[in-house]
Amino acid sequence: MPASVSGEELERLHEQRVLWLERIEGPVVALPTEYPDGYLVPRHSHSRSQLLYASTGVVLVTTDAGRWMVPPEHAIWLPAGVHHAVEILGAVSMRSIYIAPDARDGLPTHLHVVTLTDLMRCLILEAVTLDDNPPPGSRGSLVIGLLLDELGNLPEQPLGLPFPADPRLAALCRRFIEEPSPHATIDEWAAALAMSRRSFTRSFQRETGLSFSLWRQQACLFAALPRLADGEPVTSVALDLGYDSVPAFTTMFKRMLGVSPRFYRSGVLVKGVGE
């Protein structure tokens, strides 16, 4: 899907691809796609699981259960049958691996973001150059087999932002995403819902699977990553999000992603750049 075509043409080509994926045989299908900044891949699902990797740019995946950010050097695992839409943040070179549910025992069953190993990154880039359904024993078949083995070695990252089912709590979460702040407190949210602190804490954990503090940090991270990927200075992003200092923002960022926010620049993770 070339980035130069119109949004309407991209949508038509996307619909054709989903239909094609349902017809093609073989355990693994690898496809490259180029998307322009701001494009929205419409909500859809497929019978294969998908390992979605954006080699450049950032994507935001939305499902009924929440939203997941996929920054550079990461990928998202979408189990078969999960309805999802994909928002493109910056020009994105997407590489997707579609895997049949019976391709390998023990495939993950939950949606999550992973950090790519150097080996997996190379295997993905190689897989998209292969012919569909390579014969057993061929080089292509060996690449696909190693790719399936390497799935189990990908470290999971807490880059999901699950949404609660309770409409009042969900409304608070949506308002927070529109104006994230590291200073929001449990007491403020509990008071807004006329709940005790203890009841709110239990309810939030039950509804989202996360503590309020972790959910708040991830929401702030969601707001920061696209801006950092566009090349905005770390200082302006940190202060706009309400952090008292750049070191405080950097500490949160490194705790969540394991790298400094200065590693993110123009949609590409630049290795070897100091803080």
Side-chain angles (χ1 to χ4, degrees):
M1 295 186 189
S4 59
V5 302
S6 67
E8 183 177 337
E9 181 68 6
L10 276 172
E11 186 168 346
R12 185 182 65 81
L13 292 172
H14 170 74
E15 291 174 353
Q16 292 177 349
R17 168 175 286 190
V18 172
L19 292 174
W20 177 78
L21 281 171
E22 297 304 311
R23 295 194 303 265
I24 193 169
E25 298 180 355
V28 176
V29 179
L31 296 174
T33 314
E34 303 297 322
Y35 286 112
D37 180 27
Y39 182 70
L40 178 65
V41 179
R43 179 180 166 90
H44 65 286
S45 67
H46 26 72
S47 60
R48 293 173 179 262
S49 296
Q50 178 183 4
L51 184 68
L52 186 160
Y53 166 50
S55 59
T56 62
V58 175
V59 299
L60 183 64
V61 177
T62 301
T63 74
D64 293 337
R67 310 175 86 192
W68 279 259
M69 180 73 74
V70 190
E73 302 307 305
H74 294 71
I76 187 169
W77 175 261
L78 293 159
V82 172
H83 286 83
H84 59 282
V86 183
E87 183 178 351
I88 305 300
L89 308 175
V92 165
S93 293
M94 188 182 295
R95 304 294 180 259
S96 290
I97 309 298
Y98 297 93
I99 303 174
D102 59 355
R104 178 65 57 90
D105 291 337
L107 290 175
T109 58
H110 67 290
L111 189 155
H112 59 285
V113 175
V114 296
T115 300
L116 292 182
T117 61
D118 290 340
L119 175 57
M120 178 59 92
R121 188 184 309 105
C122 292
L123 289 170
I124 291 173
L125 296 178
E126 184 64 26
V128 298
T129 70
L130 301 175
D131 294 332
D132 298 329
N133 203 15
S138 66
R139 176 178 178 277
S141 177
L142 294 174
V143 169
I144 295 303
L146 184 55
L147 186 151
L148 290 172
D149 284 342
E150 187 65 7
L151 276 174
N153 294 326
L154 303 181
E156 185 170 343
Q157 292 288 352
L159 292 176
L161 199 66
F163 270 69
D166 180 270
R168 295 194 305 152
L169 187 52
L172 284 178
C173 290
R174 290 191 177 92
R175 286 201 294 272
F176 182 85
I177 289 173
E178 293 172 359
E179 296 185 26
S181 168
H183 304 301
T185 67
I186 291 176
D187 290 334
E188 292 171 346
W189 283 44
L193 298 178
M195 299 173 68
S196 69
R197 178 186 177 92
R198 185 176 183 181
S199 294
F200 172 83
T201 300
R202 289 181 172 178
S203 177
F204 195 92
Q205 179 78 41
R206 182 176 62 252
E207 290 275 338
T208 67
L210 300 175
S211 69
F212 176 78
S213 175
L214 181 57
W215 190 94
R216 181 188 61 198
Q217 288 179 344
Q218 292 180 192
C220 288
L221 192 64
F222 266 47
L225 282 174
R227 296 176 61 180
L228 293 171
D230 284 340
E232 288 193 39
V234 175
T235 299
S236 63
V237 173
L239 296 180
D240 285 351
L241 288 176
Y243 280 85
D244 296 327
S245 67
V246 173
F249 173 72
T250 299
T251 297
M252 179 280 294
F253 197 97
K254 292 181 71 173
R255 183 169 59 249
M256 298 296 290
L257 282 183
V259 296
S260 163
R262 297 188 189 279
F263 274 46
Y264 285 81
R265 184 176 65 206
S266 301
V268 179
L269 184 64
V270 183
K271 293 184 177 179
V273 180
E275 296 180 15

